[in-house]
Amino acid sequence: MTAHARHAAAFCLLLFTALLVNAVRVQVLDAPAYNGNPANRRPVIARFDHPRGDILVGSRAVTGSRATGGQLKYVRTYTDGPLYAPVTGFASQTYGATLVEAAADEALAPGEDITTTIDPAAQRAAYRGLGRKKGAVAALDPATGRILALVSTPSYDPGSFAGTGPDATDAWARLLDDPDEPMLNRALRQTYPPGSAFKTVTAVAALASGTVTDVDEPTDSPDPYPLPGSTTRLTNESTSGACRDASLRLAYQISCNTVFGKLGVDTGLDAMAETAEAFGFNDPALRIPSRAATSVFDPHMDRAQLAMSAIGQYNTAATPLQMAMVAAAVANGGALMQPHILDTYGGYGFSVYRQVMNPAVAVQMQQLMTAAVTDGTGRNAAIPHAVVGGKTGTAQNGENNRGLPLAWFISWAHPDRSPTPSVAVAVVVEDAAADRADISGGGNAAPIARAVMRAVLG
Amino acid sequence: MSATTLDAGAPPRPATPPPRRGRGMEFVLLLCAVLISVLGHCDVGLATAGTVPPDTLRYGCALGALALAAHGAVRAGAPCADPLLLPIALLLNGLGLILLQRLDLRTAEAAAPTQLVWSALGVALFIAVVLLLRDYRALARYAYVSVAAALVLMIVPIAFPAVNGARIWIQYAGLSIQPGEFAKVLLAVFFAAYLADNHHALAYTGRRIWFLQLPTGRALGPVLAIWAISVGVLVLERDLGTSLLFFGLFVILLYVSTGRTGWTAVGLLLSGAGAFAVGSLEPHVHSRVQDWLHPFASIDAGEGPSQLAQSLFAFAAGGVFGTGLGEGHSVLIGFAVKSDFVLATAGEELGLAGIAAVLLLYAMLTARGYAAGLAMRDPFGRLLAIGLASIIALQVFVIAGGVTDLIPLTGMAMPFLAQGGSSVVTNWIIIALLIRLSDTARRAEG
């Protein structure tokens, strides 16, 4: 019996050894896989076990942290949530993080504060200007690329679903179901047909490629302009006939479709695409450091499509940020600075994105744009004691133009006595409430751009 | 038994050296166990609230008093007993209280105070057994009473509602008792007594088939029937862990008493085939087997991690040295975190080092039980000691193996660590019996 008792003891020892070996497997060998399993909540709990760093606008925090008393100890709070949501994004315990909250997470998660380039006055002016209308504003400092305002309306409060539980999931579901898409960042992540505002790009291409050498020379432009290889005739809003053979200056000032359509065709697809891409179109890598939606200028078109694209229709689509970059490059003597929303974070600080045009072309363009404000369609953007350049746009939208037209305004400004540009801004308004005939870049969008520019000029 | 002039009751006392009884060592080890428990209790408070828990003094005194009382009883009733058994049991009990206190902070129900009361009751019964049961051989006389009581205890819960799928509780007036826990001691007594009486018949009679020496049905029949009934009842009650325990206990004691490897192997083979059949066909068992093979299937199915997956996450989070007491997140496991899965909290907060230490404590407890058994002269005492020690080893293997995905998970209480009054009380009785047996064994060794 003794020998067998020893065997039984050895068997028990074997059981304990098996447990120990298995514990080594679970706690050492397989531990990395278990720890990295996406269903393991521990990393989330660890993330929220101390207050998150704050996002600063100016020197003021627009975020905060609140103790929950729950398993996830601190929940994100937002002051002026809807105002800054297109900048901060959200940091939700349930739904993850977006925009600055996501891009600067490596600093914010351990508790470090992050300063944005946003000018609170410009941001508020843009938000107030859009009011209850659906739309977006992007404003840049042309000389540095600092993003001064990034507004999208209607907006949302990222604090409403920052935590966990039914309140958060209900708020999230409501926002997702809202037909107005309040969580869509229209300034950064939505592209629109830029309409006549795109004529700025066409003008730069025409000047840079030498298609036009004198902005005051009459162009050889019929009115209406029959689209090449097509029976369609491109017309102008105004039927006065002023657009026939109009000079580039006049055509830009009163926004002639015929002149710019033909100019695009004359300049050619390659030169047009090259210029558009220098401004940032077709760049899927554009980041601020959050990714911007890719603005589109189709590089494969027939001449009729090119004519339409030259006036910002057909496939052409741009984010408000992209159109602010167009204005900024002109204002900054042709050098387009890398747009960025965080100072020197993640390698997106002060740097040249592209030299879009030579300074001489830029000066000519500045003159065209200031004329459009002083004597043309952009009068609503004029500011006393400041030099303002701008371009309106009213884009037809949607399949067969069934969507509501969009009102665009892009502009830049600097004080009378200072040659350094202070601000470039793009405004888009998609206002369902407005009467279709009333929608115009000059009427709807220019006053908002002016308010933003005034806020920056001070 | 050859005739001898020596009176077994009065062995000649050797002049030198005096027998090493180990009571002083036991006292020192008990102090260490109480100290470790109290420090752990403080550590939980410091880690979670930044202060020493206000009840530390009370808790320390309570545990110290239990240790002293048990120690006193051993001195009075079993002065030659193995000095490791009591300190190990107390340390495991103290560690269990720490883990429950720690989990109480994150859950609605306060389990630690109740567990302390049950521990006190367990120690009281320990003292009663050590002082009142002067000769364990008396138990052999009640072998059939024991098995009858065990069967009644196991069958009664069928009349009570199921809790989490298993009908193993008796709930009355807010109290809930798990009679199967007590049944395992009674069954060990019966197996030991029956096999001690019949081991010759079992080992040396019967037919030989091929290379197997099979016992007669007359000898094997009753014990096989009892075992089959117990396991049948447990399967009905969905208490798979306990049925596994009884099977293991039966095979070990049969093997030790008869030494017949052959039909132990046949038993294992048959039960292996049975387990495979049940595992493939019976839905409840089948799902346990599936969970064991694919612990993360529920995650892939989008239903979130199962308790077993959460348990593995907890063990993994602990790594080698653990997160520290109070600093893990094993509460994610859910409702069974204080009972079946309590080891996961130890795994997360004390790490592999802590798990190895806990397993070592259980292994030492088992080893001391076996040591007592090997030193016993009478077959009943020997089988009883081995049976009780094996119960500890098998329980630990079944539940620890289950929560670490070594074997399919079958519910079972981790001895002394898990929440559960019946379990704590039963384990203290097991320790008391081992103390009693080791006292006799070490006396016999001189």
Side-chain angles (χ1 to χ4, degrees), chain B residues 93 286 395:
Chain B
N93 201 154
H286 181 70
Q395 280 197 112

Side-chain angles (χ1 to χ4, degrees), chain A residues 69-97:
Chain A
Q71 192 175 56
L72 305 176
K73 281 191 188 154
Y74 289 95
V75 71
R76 194 59 144 172
T77 59
Y78 295 87
T79 44
D80 297 324
L83 172 60
Y84 289 110
V87 175
T88 58
F90 55 77
S92 162
Q93 293 171 344
T94 315
Y95 300 105

Side-chain angles (χ1 to χ4, degrees), chain A residues 8 50 82 97 163 197 234 260 308 348 350 354 359 388 442:
Chain A
H50 55 86
L234 187 59
F260 278 90
M308 292 303 290
Y348 291 91
F350 179 81
R354 287 287 285 276
V388 180

Side-chain angles (χ1 to χ4, degrees), chain A residues 223 236-242:
Chain A
D223 180 7
N236 293 305
E237 290 282 317
S238 127
T239 48
S240 70

